[in-house]
Amino acid sequence: MKRLLTALLLVAMQVNLHAQDLKLTRENIPEIIAALTPEEKVDLVVGCGAGWGNPDAKFPGTAGWTRAVPRLGIPSIYFADGPQGVNMAQAREYDTADYSCTFFLSGSTLATSWDVEAAHAIGQAIGYELKERGLDVILGPGMNLHRSILCGRNQEYFSEDPLLSGKMAAAWIRGAQSNGIATSLKHFAVNNQETNRKENDSRVSQRALRELYLKGFEIAVKEGNPWTVMGSYNYVNGIHACENEWLLNDVLRDGWGWQGVVMSDWDGVVRQANAVSAGCDLIEPGTEADREALLAAMEGGALSMDALDRNVRNILELVVKCPSFSGYDYSNDIDRKEHQELLRRVAAESMVLLKNEGNVLPLKPGSVGLYGVSSYDLIPANMGVNGVNNGVYHVSLVQGLREAGFTVCPSVLREYTDYIAAEKEKIASAYPSVYKQFFRYPRPEEIIPGASEPMSSSVALGAMTVDLGLKQTAVSNRQSLKEQAEANEAAILTLSRGTGEAFDRSASEFELTPSEKTLIDSLSRAYHSFGKPVIVLLNVPAPIETVSWRDKVDAILLVGQPGERAGESIADALTGTVAPSGRLADSWPVHYGDAPADKNFPSEVGQDLKSLITPRATREGRELVRNIDYTDYEEGIYVGYRYFTTSKTDIAYPFGYGLSYTFFNYEKASVEASASGFVARVSVRNTGFRPGREVLQLYVSAPAGGLDKPVRELKGFAKTRLLAPGESETLEIPVSLQDLASWNEKKACWETARGIYHFCFGLSADMMQTDCSVRVKNAYLYGKQD
Ligand code: BGC
């Protein structure tokens, strides 16, 4: 190997002698590639390691950077995690400056806004902060489909529906990249569970792949054009996502016409040469072992220079677009006020009003009893890697309510704050090293205690979830509850669930705990006996059980994970200062287990996880474990509302559901033919007494055309501006013939069947308001080339 490398080096050096002044420009990438030595090329396709835990990192606490080749004017470019904000250390050891960035709302909360302009604005704000902090690539948006309500990263992703996910992601990307920085659309693809995420094989039909799991990415890629895409950890039908030529080349590049850099997820590459050859341009975060493996593969012939050159070209084409290349003079001083105001409004608008019996909301400022641990310790965001550092602080609910003119009942407050302080102390003495980060939602590696603590990482996360999120201790005794109910105008109870990367939620987290149920019973008995309402805030990343208790309370507001202005956003929505106009981005089942995907999801793995996970290499000769080593997507395309509406299974709250503080009428609905297909149009009038925004959801029922079809599918959506009472707005939604197609596995192409299509504007996937039908005269096939 040494001889070959020396020979190659000599050739390269000769080239270099003639090219001593050669420096990278936008125009000379081929020349630069010719001037790079083989080792330098390998350097470029392997990252420099992660920025966290590295005192020499230029940007401490960030995800990584690429290697520079100064002699050819190739700079490093720098990555920070998203998608909830720019994830970097807020403080540095060597100065006293504040490096905080705005901690925005989670993807699943942004999705309930159904507002692509909001997604654009949030992306734009995050991209701006990234650029002004000196970095080049934001690792987001995340957009894997919510196949199961228990996936541990659903909060980072948008929805169970690919159209909603794809449109939100595309807008976010366009917003972020309008700053001249790169996004990384992740995790490509079919990364729908966290359990054994690096080994699990997602086994999925071509049709479900095309219509669901790749569809959102296709929309985001074609309409957003992210400069980079991140390959996922899992296998897809037996081939690792980062080694999957079909995924990376046939589908992503040739099929969708995308040109950009594919980077691996962090430590996601299994066989380096296979990944590089398959079109995974950049191995992240990159180790010396990765470099050596690639050099050995070149020597042994397993990695061709052509493949390496192709990847280097993709990387250089990215580099020349980035701020680090142009030497952008970043300010490192971001005025976050404007972004915080944006966040406050978007988060409030994204909240979903699930119940509002007797119009108890909007609530007039007065005295409220605030119950539940998380009323005093909200979970503003994702608890995993992606977006933690900046989430250490947030506006508390107490502060938000006080600013809005409420009095928070002091005796309830004292009970809970004393309780929380006592719990903290217990945890501090049981797990001293965990404690420091405990109440700020630690990164997994911070709580995976190099074995100094007697617990595994899953126990640590579990403990955190149980003690912080789930335990809604009914601290009040009956007498004091009665007094509180008499003294206050309303009870507000917050129910929370936390979740984060690397772990899925378990089925039991879907249920309410006995203490949560007891608390709801006691509150409703006490407050209702004085004719006072009980309002429940759901500070959850994904659906939880609601049917057994919702009749006992008056109002339910899904607040999701609203980011750092949490308390203010919630107060705005409760008081109607901002009209909550969110709609569910997922179906909320009656029971866990109602969705067919639940049968093939590791919902009960819990603490046994470790013993079940074994590296692929050691699997030989043993039987593979279902849902651990592989997961069969037996439900095919019947995910979320596609299943619930078609099978007519009872549902707690359907996809698209959400109430308003006002009412809307749908008038003059129509569908007309257009050059590419159809345009659906409707006027929406605010017929109530308060201002509000309506989400228009366009569902289409398609003729079977020889395939099995869901009853209806979302084919477009739009959101009105804020309409004053009496005001109306006409909106139109284009739907192309291609948008109406299903994947025909036999013909291996998209097919729009001939026949009658019903275009319906619905209040949710379950409730149609209008119905216009059109005929497609001839079947239409496309996409054979993929
Ligand atoms: C996550 C990615 C993330 C990367 C870098 C991985 O563990 O899956 O979403 O961008 O780490 O932090």
Side-chain angles (χ1 to χ4, degrees):
M1 163 159 152
K2 249 195 196 139
R3 238 180 297 136
L4 173 81
L5 286 178
T6 323
L8 290 169
L9 202 66
L10 279 176
V11 175
M13 274 168 64
Q14 278 165 3
V15 174
N16 289 343
L17 284 179
H18 301 293
Q20 273 189 348
D21 294 329
L22 186 63
K23 296 281 183 248
L24 177 67
T25 67
R26 280 168 184 265
E27 288 76 35
N28 70 358
I29 290 173
E31 273 175 81
I32 294 287
I33 294 175
L36 283 163
T37 66
E39 276 170 324
E40 285 170 334
K41 289 178 187 175
V42 167
D43 280 352
L44 282 171
V45 301
V46 176
C48 290
W52 48 73
N54 177 351
D56 298 329
K58 182 172 174 193
F59 301 107
T62 55
W65 67 100
T66 61
R67 210 171 292 267
V69 184
R71 74 178 184 89
L72 292 171
I74 305 174
S76 295
I77 56 169
Y78 297 87
F79 308 150
D81 248 318
Q84 276 197 234
V86 179
N87 195 359
M88 66 194 295
Q90 284 176 285
R92 295 180 187 168
E93 277 169 16
Y94 45 82
D95 65 24
T96 53
D98 173 14
Y99 294 94
S100 48
C101 300
T102 311
F103 197 41
F104 289 91
L105 66 177
S106 67
S108 59
T109 305
L110 181 56
T112 54
S113 72
W114 290 63
D115 184 352
V116 287
E117 281 169 24
H120 187 279
I122 297 288
Q124 194 168 30
I126 292 174
Y128 174 80
E129 294 193 4
L130 182 94
K131 189 173 181 184
E132 292 308 323
R133 287 279 179 229
L135 294 102
D136 303 277
V137 187
I138 182 84
L139 303 180
M143 62 157 308
N144 294 89
L145 210 69
H146 293 174
R147 169 178 179 258
S148 162
I149 56 174
L150 298 183
C151 172
R153 294 184 86 172
N154 277 355
Q155 71 286 347
E156 290 180 56
Y157 309 148
F158 295 109
S159 166
E160 68 181 29
D161 180 77
L163 180 80
L164 181 55
S165 304
K167 294 279 181 189
M168 295 301 279
W172 196 102
I173 292 166
R174 286 194 301 268
Q177 291 189 172
S178 67
N179 294 286
I181 55 93
T183 57
S184 194
L185 180 65
K186 65 191 187 185
H187 309 88
F188 192 64
V190 212
N191 184 188
N192 306 99
Q193 76 178 53
E194 289 297 285
T195 305
N196 203 17
R197 62 183 178 160
K198 290 189 175 172
E199 302 285 339
N200 181 267
D201 182 18
S202 303
R203 298 179 176 173
V204 55
S205 72
Q206 274 295 317
R207 181 165 178 202
L209 265 175
R210 304 287 184 153
E211 292 185 22
L212 298 186
Y213 299 101
L214 298 179
K215 193 61 177 175
F217 282 100
E218 180 180 354
I219 295 168
V221 161
K222 288 182 174 168
E223 299 180 14
N225 188 24
W227 293 357
T228 83
V229 165
M230 189 187 292
S232 56
Y233 284 133
N234 53 290
Y235 290 68
V236 180
N237 290 332
I239 303 177
H240 193 278
C242 289
E243 297 177 14
N244 203 313
E245 285 195 47
W246 175 77
L247 259 186
L248 304 185
N249 293 327
D250 299 357
V251 173
L252 175 62
R253 293 189 167 102
D254 300 341
W256 301 343
W258 178 78
Q259 295 174 326
V261 167
V262 173
M263 66 177 81
S264 71
D265 198 344
W266 266 231
D267 292 317
V269 158
V270 183
R271 293 173 300 179
Q272 294 87 343
N274 291 30
V276 170
S277 306
C280 175
D281 300 302
L282 179 59
I283 298 180
E284 281 297 329
T287 60
E288 197 42 40
D290 293 327
R291 294 182 68 250
E292 277 165 17
L294 290 179
L295 290 170
M298 276 171 69
E299 162 104 5
L303 175 61
S304 73
M305 192 58 84
D306 283 354
L308 195 55
D309 283 353
R310 175 202 58 195
N311 294 12
V312 167
R313 192 193 60 230
N314 288 342
I315 290 168
L316 293 180
E317 269 164 11
L318 169 67
V319 168
V320 295
K321 292 195 280 189
C322 285
S324 288
F325 176 73
S326 57
Y328 180 69
D329 186 16
Y330 56 95
S331 65
N332 228 341
D333 176 24
I334 46 180
D335 176 9
R336 296 175 47 226
K337 275 232 159 57
E338 208 182 300
H339 293 173
Q340 289 170 333
E341 283 311 307
L342 167 75
L343 166 63
R344 177 176 174 169
R345 176 183 60 79
V346 170
E349 286 196 345
S350 302
M351 291 176 186
V352 187
L353 191 57
L354 294 175
K355 175 169 185 182
N356 194 15
E357 194 78 21
N359 293 329
V360 296
L361 297 179
L363 197 63
K364 287 206 187 71
S367 176
V368 289
L370 203 51
Y371 299 87
V373 170
S374 34
S375 278
Y376 300 89
D377 215 327
L378 276 167
I379 300 179
N382 173 22
M383 288 155 69
V385 167
N386 294 288
V388 183
N389 285 358
N390 310 307
V392 291
Y393 55 85
H394 60 269
V395 176
S396 72
L397 184 55
V398 174
Q399 189 185 335
L401 289 171
R402 282 183 177 157
E403 278 171 14
F406 289 91
T407 304
V408 173
C409 178
S411 62
V412 186
L413 181 140
R414 207 169 319 113
E415 277 182 284
Y416 274 100
T417 45
D418 286 353
Y419 169 77
I420 291 170
E423 283 296 295
K424 278 185 180 180
E425 243 184 79
K426 270 194 245 160
I427 294 156
S429 56
Y431 309 118
S433 74
V434 172
Y435 171 70
K436 250 200 328 206
Q437 291 94 13
F438 196 87
F439 278 73
R440 73 157 180 84
Y441 317 114
R443 310 171 65 96
E445 67 266 34
E446 288 170 339
I447 55 167
I448 295 170
S452 63
E453 302 290 336
M455 58 184 181
S456 72
S457 54
S458 55
V459 175
L461 264 184
M464 186 173 68
T465 314
V466 170
D467 284 317
L468 263 187
L470 301 190
K471 199 162 188 172
Q472 301 289 335
T473 182
V475 280
S476 304
N477 66 38
R478 221 167 250 200
Q479 184 51 32
S480 58
L481 242 190
K482 211 174 147 210
E483 285 162 15
Q484 290 157 7
E486 198 171 3
N488 293 303
E489 255 88 58
I492 297 179
L493 163 66
T494 308
L495 300 177
S496 290
R497 296 289 183 274
T499 170
E501 182 174 341
F503 304 94
D504 289 311
R505 296 164 69 209
S506 70
S508 59
E509 285 173 56
F510 174 78
E511 307 297 335
L512 261 57
T513 62
S515 56
E516 286 172 326
K517 287 189 173 166
T518 309
L519 188 52
I520 290 177
D521 285 342
S522 324
L523 287 176
S524 73
R525 225 177 295 122
Y527 276 78
H528 287 163
S529 71
F530 290 97
K532 313 256 176 89
V534 177
I535 297 154
V536 175
L537 305 178
L538 298 181
N539 173 213
V540 296
I544 60 166
E545 191 277 317
T546 51
V547 172
S548 71
W549 56 270
R550 64 184 175 188
D551 291 345
K552 299 176 184 171
V553 304
D554 304 273
I556 306 176
L557 183 68
L558 169 64
V559 304
Q561 296 184 328
E564 71 177 50
R565 311 303 287 190
E568 290 161 328
S569 299
I570 296 172
D572 287 346
L574 285 175
T575 55
T577 312
V578 175
S581 50
R583 302 289 180 264
L584 294 179
D586 294 296
S587 308
W588 282 47
V590 177
H591 310 104
Y592 178 76
D594 286 348
D598 298 346
K599 290 187 198 72
N600 289 296
F601 191 82
S603 51
E604 297 302 342
V605 172
Q607 303 308 321
D608 295 334
L609 184 67
K610 279 226 151 122
S611 62
L612 288 168
I613 295 179
T614 49
R616 223 147 234 269
T618 65
R619 277 192 205 166
E620 301 306 326
R622 79 163 165 82
E623 214 173 298
L624 298 184
V625 183
R626 199 173 131 252
N627 299 337
I628 303 290
D629 295 317
Y630 66 91
T631 301
D632 284 332
Y633 287 37
E634 277 172 340
E635 69 287 350
I637 57 165
Y638 290 101
V639 171
Y641 72 86
R642 285 170 169 76
Y643 169 74
F644 289 109
T645 51
T646 309
S647 64
K648 298 197 170 60
T649 302
D650 278 350
I651 187 98
Y653 295 107
F655 173 83
Y657 179 83
L659 304 171
S660 298
Y661 291 154
T662 187
F663 300 96
F664 298 98
N665 257 9
Y666 287 37
E667 300 162 355
K668 296 188 245 154
S670 66
V671 184
E672 275 170 27
S674 71
S676 62
F678 303 96
V679 175
R681 205 170 279 121
V682 74
S683 286
V684 181
R685 183 175 302 282
N686 181 347
T687 54
F689 301 101
R690 299 183 63 91
R693 298 184 71 187
E694 175 65 321
V695 171
L696 282 183
Q697 305 168 38
L698 177 65
Y699 294 91
V700 176
S701 302
L707 298 177
D708 201 21
K709 297 259 171 99
V711 157
R712 62 183 69 92
E713 291 179 287
L714 186 75
K715 291 295 173 189
F717 63 94
K719 194 161 184 174
T720 66
R721 60 173 191 273
L722 190 70
L723 297 176
E727 225 188 324
S728 77
E729 184 177 358
T730 302
L731 290 168
E732 39 179 62
I733 299 177
V735 179
S736 71
L737 270 177
Q738 296 193 356
D739 294 337
L740 296 173
S742 304
W743 182 260
N744 185 324
E745 292 192 338
K746 280 206 192 109
K747 296 179 186 161
C749 69
W750 291 99
E751 177 175 41
T752 302
R754 56 192 277 269
I756 306 284
Y757 287 75
H758 291 269
F759 283 64
C760 306
F761 285 105
L763 299 183
S764 70
D766 265 7
M767 199 187 280
M768 298 304 112
Q769 288 292 90
T770 68
D771 183 350
C772 302
S773 56
V774 292
R775 178 184 293 278
V776 172
K777 288 203 190 99
N778 301 309
Y780 172 68
L781 303 182
Y782 81 99
K784 268 258 182 222
Q785 76 281 7
D786 303 352

